[in-house]
């Protein structure tokens, strides 16, 4: 009897042990394969023939570790020299549109091993004081990267600021420009919500959206209201087109980036001539947040801050209708110029 129990116990221990070892082996293999998800080297031809301005990759196994430390400013001069790290001017800039999903786009692109993001909005080209500090000042604001990685920054104010296109052109006339847009009325309400929250934080009162968006004298859309003006995408884009050809822009569908981010990111990878590296594994839907969040590897994942994805106040439907009607012709023009059509009303 005792012998039988001992045998049974041994059998159970054996099964449990096998399960533990199996899980351990699975984890090791998984971490290994995650590493392989990030490309390890710039093997010519590995991603098919390279077009002229395609960016080669090189060893980046440190991207999430070492580079992160460097970004925090912990790198010694010796480490920088040893790893051949540089602070590079951006090869691509997310120029707008404010509340279009610029942060989500930047963070999601940063999942790509060949992309390094400037964490802060630098506001170099739209702020005269910063611009006067010169291009070296701007470059020094960039994160450390390996020479073959590309740096991307985002400052949504660039899109609507008059002087910016010329200034960026002077820095790099062949730079790639990313614009993320959302349905214009929703974007305007999102813009308003952000300002409203700022006022509330300071215990200040603020007008209702309806009051700002509609001119009380004419009962027409108030084109002096900044949140409305920003949503007239074509007007701003036309200013940019005086300096850059349309081929240098890529339009990202901000509404789709919310619901279905991967295809949008794949289009950006293509535009930036990057090999496709962002996968569904890197993006998971977080039901509590109601948004997709980012998974870098088995241990590191993150959602965007709570300030992204605010609940919008309810807006009078007649005002929404009026705004949509107002934006309609501008939207048509925008589709025509960009060659990208959206199902905006
Ligand atoms: P709302 O706050 O109106 O929902 P920006 O970064 O340009 O300020 O844009 C903010 C918007 O990004 C948010 O607007 C939100 O809808 C959108 N967004 C897109 N993808 C997101 C994500 N994965 N997590 C949080 N917000 C996201």
């Amino acid at each position: 009897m005792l012998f039988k129990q001992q045998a049974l116990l041994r059998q159970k221990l054996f099964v449990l042990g096998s399960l533990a070892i199996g899980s351990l082996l699975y984890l090791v293999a998984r971490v290994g394969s995650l590493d392989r998800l990030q490309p390890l080297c710039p093997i010519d031809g590995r991603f098919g023939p390279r077009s002229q301005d395609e960016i080669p990759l090189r060893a980046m196994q440190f991207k999430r570790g070492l580079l992160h430390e460097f970004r925090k400013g912990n790198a010694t001069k010796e480490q920088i020299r040893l790893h051949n790290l540089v602070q590079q001017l951006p090869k691509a800039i997310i120029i707008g549109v404010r509340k279009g999903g610029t942060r989500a786009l930047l963070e999601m692109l940063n999942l790509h091993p060949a992309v390094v993001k400037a964490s802060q909005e630098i506001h170099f080209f739209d702020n005269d004081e910063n611009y006067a500090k010169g291009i070296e000042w701007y470059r020094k604001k960039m994160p450390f990267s390996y020479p073959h990685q590309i740096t991307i920054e985002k400052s949504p104010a660039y899109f609507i600021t008059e002087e910016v296109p010329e200034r960026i052109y002077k820095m790099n006339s062949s730079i790639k420009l990313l614009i993320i847009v959302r349905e214009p009325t929703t974007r305007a309400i999102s813009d308003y919500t952000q300002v409203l929250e700022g006022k509330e934080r300071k215990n200040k009162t603020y007008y209702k959206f309806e009051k700002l968006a509609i001119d009380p004298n004419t009962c027409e859309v108030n084109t002096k209201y900044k949140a409305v003006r920003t949503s007239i995408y074509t007007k701003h884009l036309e200013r940019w087109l005086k300096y850059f050809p349309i081929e240098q822009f890529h339009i990202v569908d901000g509404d789709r980036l919310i619901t279905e981010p991967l295809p949008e990111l794949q289009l950006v990878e293509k535009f930036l001539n990057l090999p496709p590296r962002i996968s569904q594994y890197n993006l998971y839907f977080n039901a509590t947040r109601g948004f997709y969040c980012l998974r870098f590897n088995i241990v590191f994942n993150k959602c965007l801050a709570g300030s992204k994805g605010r609940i919008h106040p309810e807006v009078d439907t007649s005002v929404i209708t009026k705004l949509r009607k107002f934006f309609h012709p501008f939207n048509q023009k925008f589709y025509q110029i960009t060659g990208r059509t959206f199902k905006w009303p």
Side-chain angles (χ1 to χ4, degrees), residues 99-104 182 190 258 291-292 308-310 312:
K99 306 320 294 172
T102 53
R103 173 57 61 186
R182 272 164 93 186
S190 172
I258 296 174
F291 284 98
Y292 274 88
K308 304 294 173 186
R310 295 186 177 98
H312 297 177

Side-chain angles (χ1 to χ4, degrees), residues 3-258:
F3 178 74
K4 223 175 177 179
Q5 273 180 341
Q6 275 178 345
L8 207 65
L9 194 67
R10 263 202 304 273
Q11 214 172 358
K12 275 186 182 164
L13 282 173
F14 176 75
V15 171
L16 282 174
S18 307
L19 274 173
I21 291 169
S23 310
L24 206 65
L25 284 175
Y26 169 75
L27 281 177
V28 169
R30 183 108 171 111
V31 171
S33 72
L34 289 178
D35 276 343
R36 264 176 272 122
L37 248 182
Q38 322 288 330
L40 293 178
C41 50
I43 304 166
D44 277 344
R46 180 171 162 181
F47 307 115
R50 224 195 258 149
S51 77
Q52 242 189 353
D53 55 350
E54 187 172 316
I55 298 130
L57 299 177
R58 56 167 295 167
M60 281 163 221
Q61 50 274 63
F62 292 120
K63 176 162 184 194
R64 306 289 166 223
L66 202 61
L67 278 182
H68 181 64
E69 287 302 304
F70 292 166
R71 262 181 238 149
K72 286 194 301 185
N74 295 340
T76 63
K77 280 196 175 130
E78 180 58 15
Q79 281 172 319
I80 293 166
R81 194 190 54 76
L82 203 68
H83 295 286
N84 199 17
L85 293 171
V86 280
Q87 283 170 295
Q88 309 187 75
L89 289 171
K91 286 255 167 47
I93 304 182
I94 300 170
I95 56 173
V97 178
R98 177 183 151 95
K99 306 320 294 172
T102 53
R103 173 57 61 186
L105 178 61
L106 183 69
E107 297 293 332
M108 287 174 181
L109 287 178
N110 191 52
L111 287 163
H112 197 292
V115 171
V116 180
K117 62 160 189 189
S119 296
Q120 305 294 323
E121 290 181 12
I122 318 261
H123 289 280
F124 176 62
F125 298 103
D126 62 310
N127 179 314
D128 290 344
E129 212 173 290
N130 287 342
Y131 190 65
K133 291 176 186 158
I135 205 83
E136 260 314 282
W137 178 88
Y138 182 51
R139 198 180 60 77
K140 287 272 165 61
K141 289 278 173 202
M142 294 299 154
F144 284 102
S145 59
Y146 296 104
H148 295 106
Q149 288 180 309
I150 60 162
T151 302
I152 302 187
E153 83 124 325
K154 75 117 179 163
S155 292
Y158 290 168
F159 186 57
I160 57 160
T161 309
E162 193 111 3
E163 300 81 6
V164 174
E166 185 181 357
R167 288 175 176 179
I168 294 187
Y169 181 85
K170 279 184 182 158
M171 174 188 73
N172 178 0
S173 61
S174 60
I175 196 157
K176 299 202 173 191
L177 302 162
L178 294 161
I179 308 174
I180 177 163
V181 290
R182 272 164 93 186
E183 190 277 308
T185 303
T186 311
R187 196 222 62 82
I189 297 170
S190 172
D191 199 331
Y192 165 83
T193 310
Q194 171 156 312
V195 178
L196 176 71
E197 197 185 281
K199 300 274 181 198
E200 281 172 349
R201 222 179 302 122
K202 292 179 194 154
N203 278 330
K204 288 185 177 168
T205 52
Y206 195 44
Y207 303 105
K208 285 190 82 177
F209 177 78
E210 291 85 340
K211 189 142 194 229
L212 295 165
I214 304 295
D215 184 331
N217 299 319
T218 61
C219 286
E220 292 303 322
V221 169
N222 179 10
T223 50
K224 290 198 185 92
Y225 178 40
K226 196 172 168 193
V228 166
R229 279 210 319 272
T230 303
S231 284
I232 308 176
Y233 305 139
T234 182
K235 286 274 174 223
H236 302 289
L237 183 60
E238 278 165 37
R239 262 189 306 102
W240 284 83
L241 289 171
K242 289 184 188 142
Y243 293 89
F244 300 96
I246 193 68
E247 294 74 33
Q248 262 168 261
F249 295 85
H250 176 75
I251 311 296
V252 179
D253 183 342
D255 294 308
R256 191 164 174 231
L257 194 83
I258 296 174

